[in-house]
Amino acid sequence: MNTAATPLDKGIVYLVDDEAIVRDALTFLLGSRGLLVYGFASGPDLLAHLEAVPARPVRGVFVVDVRMEPMSGLQLHEALIAQGLRNPVLFLSGHGDIPMVVEALKKGAFDFLEKPYSDNTLVDRIEQALAVESAMSVDDTRHAERDARLASLSDREREVMHRVAAGKLNKVIADELHIAVRTVEVHRARVFSKLGVRSAAELATLLAQG
């Protein structure tokens, strides 16, 4: 059985550079390292692609040249943020672009590489960005699953849940909600089952993650 990693297994890179020769060279380099590369000549081209494929979350990282027309790399970064995309963005910049890139870093950009850069340095930083993106994706999936489980609770189960997480005893909860202790026990068991927890401590931890 072939167990070699495919480009999709290693990660996706959205490369945006208005120079075709640069795009081609970087696409070849990254492809030779097992990465799947989508190349775009401008920021609007990338945004149009993302709009045409509306599935969320978008997996992968963005490698963006700073100086482009008609949309600069920094403007593209702001547009991605406006769309709610938190994927790591790695800027490729010239020496004169550093003040602008510093501002982008303050807005959450992953890093920047000043030209000329070595191939190995570029690939290393992209792989590090992909590792960060992968960890973010796992967290997003975990939170989505938790939210779906919480949404399955009834209003009464939510009332019991919050009181159990606060460490209140069944009898106290029953008095506060004006229901029988046995009813509290039933709701408590359902909450634990639906949320996949085994104790009030685990429940409190789960709720604190949001």
Side-chain angles (χ1 to χ4, degrees), residues 150-168:
L150 287 171
S152 73
L153 299 178
S154 68
D155 291 342
R156 180 64 84 186
E157 287 168 350
R158 286 176 177 274
E159 291 176 332
V160 172
M161 174 190 69
H162 289 299
R163 288 167 170 81
V164 171
K168 294 183 178 180

Side-chain angles (χ1 to χ4, degrees), residues 146 161-162 164-167 192 195 197 199-210:
R146 188 208 61 170
M161 174 190 69
H162 289 299
V164 171
F192 281 18
L195 298 184
V197 298
S199 67
E202 285 188 19
L203 176 60
T205 299
L206 180 70
L207 297 179
Q209 293 173 355

Side-chain angles (χ1 to χ4, degrees), residues 8-188:
L8 188 57
D9 292 330
K10 294 202 68 174
I12 301 172
V13 177
Y14 295 90
L15 171 64
V16 190
D17 196 301
D18 57 2
E19 294 186 40
I21 190 170
V22 175
R23 288 198 313 277
D24 291 344
L26 290 181
T27 297
F28 177 80
L29 169 67
L30 300 177
S32 71
R33 304 296 180 89
L35 300 173
L36 179 61
V37 183
Y38 294 108
F40 301 90
S42 70
D45 286 349
L46 169 64
L47 296 175
H49 171 80
L50 295 176
E51 290 175 2
V53 186
R56 293 294 187 270
V58 173
R59 296 302 309 275
V61 302
F62 299 100
V63 177
V64 179
D65 189 37
V66 172
R67 292 190 180 275
M68 295 186 295
E69 295 292 342
M71 174 184 283
S72 73
L74 279 73
Q75 290 171 325
L76 174 58
H77 183 214
E78 292 177 349
L80 294 172
I81 293 173
Q83 290 191 12
L85 297 176
R86 301 183 297 119
N87 306 57
V89 176
L90 178 64
F91 283 106
L92 306 179
S93 66
H95 178 71
D97 300 325
I98 290 179
M100 290 186 292
V101 174
V102 169
E103 186 63 27
L105 292 175
K106 293 179 181 178
K107 295 181 179 180
F110 179 76
D111 202 356
F112 74 96
L113 290 180
E114 185 178 351
K115 304 173 183 177
Y117 45 77
S118 73
D119 291 348
N120 287 337
T121 298
L122 174 62
V123 174
D124 286 348
R125 290 304 285 152
I126 289 176
E127 289 182 340
Q128 290 164 10
L130 284 166
V132 170
E133 190 273 334
S134 180
M136 292 168 60
S137 177
V138 170
D139 285 342
D140 289 343
T141 299
R142 185 182 299 116
H143 280 92
E145 291 175 349
R146 188 208 61 170
D147 290 346
R149 291 181 178 182
L150 287 171
S152 73
L153 299 178
S154 68
D155 291 342
R156 180 64 84 186
E157 287 168 350
R158 286 176 177 274
E159 291 176 332
V160 172
M161 174 190 69
H162 289 299
R163 288 167 170 81
V164 171
K168 294 183 178 180
L169 299 176
N170 289 348
K171 185 179 185 306
V172 174
I173 297 173
D175 290 341
E176 289 184 357
L177 298 179
H178 307 293
I179 57 179
V181 173
R182 177 54 184 162
T183 303
V184 173
E185 293 172 350
V186 171
H187 286 313
R188 180 185 182 118

